[in-house]
Amino acid sequence: MASEGAEYDRTRGAGDTAEATGEGGRETAAPPDPKIAAAVAAAEAAGPQHGETVRIDSWIWSVRLVKTRSLGATACRGGHVRVNGERVKPAHSVRVGDEVRLRHEGRERVVVVKRLIRKRVGAPVAAQCYID
């Protein structure tokens, strides 16, 4: 019986060590701030499911390229937003890998979609959703 208890403790201890190592490995790959990691997880959970898309006006607002979604829609209607080189309407669906060009406040931003989100997120999380 004593050996069974020792074996159980050894197994349990090894599991704890593996979990700590795994968690440490994740921390180096993920942002170091736990608040940012939690926000990224929440954004992914609220994002579209596999195969779904997001409206361009909603996406540029979510990743903080414009202040409001209505400003994003107005920019699309005015021809200031291009996806893969073509002018788009506010309801155009954006996908991962699309190139988005936005002329806003006297400058042009060119970003490549890296992650689709629907809800507005903080700046550190938003920066992980596109390649500038």
Side-chain angles (χ1 to χ4, degrees), residues 12-25:
R12 185 172 163 195
D16 289 345
T17 305
E19 287 174 7
T21 305
E23 219 171 279

Side-chain angles (χ1 to χ4, degrees), residues 24-108:
R26 273 186 250 133
E27 286 180 2
T28 57
D33 189 3
K35 290 181 182 179
I36 294 173
V40 168
E44 286 178 351
Q49 300 302 317
H50 182 69
E52 291 184 26
T53 58
V54 177
R55 289 172 55 117
I56 186 66
D57 61 341
S58 178
W59 187 82
I60 62 176
W61 166 74
S62 298
V63 297
R64 297 178 167 264
L65 296 178
V66 293
K67 287 185 179 183
T68 65
R69 198 180 126 226
S70 63
L71 279 176
T74 303
C76 290
R77 281 190 230 102
H80 300 290
V81 178
R82 294 178 180 267
V83 176
N84 298 327
E86 296 190 23
R87 291 172 60 179
V88 294
K89 294 182 179 181
H92 180 81
S93 296
V94 67
R95 294 175 178 81
V96 173
D98 283 350
E99 179 190 78
V100 177
R101 291 179 177 264
L102 170 69
R103 278 191 330 231
H104 183 63
E105 296 179 353
R107 58 184 263 202
E108 184 174 58

Side-chain angles (χ1 to χ4, degrees), residues 2-25:
S3 64
E4 287 178 24
E7 205 171 301
Y8 173 75
D9 290 339
R10 219 177 321 135
T11 306
R12 185 172 163 195
D16 289 345
T17 305
E19 287 174 7
T21 305
E23 219 171 279

